[in-house]
């Protein structure tokens, strides 16, 4: 079994709240309590970060990210969207499997929702993801 948490998510060995999927990409809700509303757009094959991607993988993540971004806009009408990624430990990467963060912004730094402290946000995650999925259908 892979030790990479995102490889295990892609393989279905760790549950995730799925937003979007195609041949090369899986998008799912970030479960980190400090990251409410983040959608993670991950490359399915293991590649550590942008430095390791080929052109087809780069294009696939960009295309999927834009599609999911438009669905987030249609679902939540945020004032804006931050798109970021960390490449390498020195840059702040903590999961070494390539992914992009999509972060809807409301009134500057506000998120689409907040999570109760110490309360697993499964229902909120699923409700949030369902609204995005509905815009992708
Ligand atoms: P980074 O720090 O940019 O590498 O992003 C890694 C992200 O993955 C963090 O925002 C974590 O909260 C998130 N994360 C870690 N494990 C999981 C998981 N099992 N399901 C969803 N998100 C996760
Ligand atoms: Zn991996």
């Amino acid at each position: 079994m892979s030790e990479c948490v995102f490889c295990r998510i892609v393989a279905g060995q760790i549950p995730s709240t799925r937003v979007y999927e195609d041949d090369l990409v899986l998008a799912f809700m970030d479960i980190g309590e400090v990251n409410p509303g983040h959608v993670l757009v991950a490359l399915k094959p293991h590649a550590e970060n942008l430095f390791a991607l080929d052109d087809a993988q780069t294009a696939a993540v960009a295309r999927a990210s834009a599609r999911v971004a438009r669905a987030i806009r249609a679902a939540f009408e945020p004032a804006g969207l931050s798109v970021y990624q960390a490449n390498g430990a020195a840059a702040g990467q903590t999961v070494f499997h390539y992914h992009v963060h999509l972060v809807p912004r409301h009134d500057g730094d506000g998120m689409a929702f907040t999570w109760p402290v110490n309360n697993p946000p499964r229902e909120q995650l699923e409700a949030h993801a369902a609204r995005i999925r509905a815009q992708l259908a």
Side-chain angles (χ1 to χ4, degrees):
M1 182 182 289
S2 173
E3 292 181 7
C4 171
V5 61
F6 284 7
C7 279
R8 294 178 66 187
I9 286 173
V10 168
Q13 295 162 347
I14 294 176
S16 65
T17 307
R18 297 188 179 214
V19 168
Y20 169 89
E21 183 168 12
D22 63 32
D23 287 353
L24 281 174
V25 175
L26 175 66
F28 52 96
M29 301 305 300
D30 191 316
I31 61 169
E33 286 202 22
V34 297
N35 293 328
H38 287 216
V39 175
L40 304 179
V41 182
L43 187 68
K44 283 183 173 176
H46 184 84
E48 188 165 305
N49 53 42
L50 186 61
F51 302 130
L53 265 57
D54 66 25
D55 285 353
Q57 293 170 332
T58 307
V61 174
R63 186 169 52 239
S65 296
R67 283 193 65 187
V68 175
R70 290 192 295 270
I72 290 170
R73 182 179 62 179
F76 296 104
E77 300 181 349
L81 185 83
S82 294
V83 181
Y84 69 86
Q85 57 188 269
N87 290 263
Q93 186 176 14
T94 61
V95 173
F96 293 88
H97 180 128
Y98 182 67
H99 61 281
V100 173
H101 292 242
L102 302 179
V103 187
R105 300 292 189 183
H106 300 261
D107 298 326
D109 64 354
M111 298 294 186
F113 55 79
T114 57
W115 293 341
V117 174
N118 297 326
N119 191 6
R122 285 252 162 254
E123 289 177 12
Q124 282 170 284
L125 286 175
E126 183 48 44
H128 194 93
R131 286 179 64 180
I132 300 170
R133 285 197 304 266
Q135 297 296 334
L136 286 164

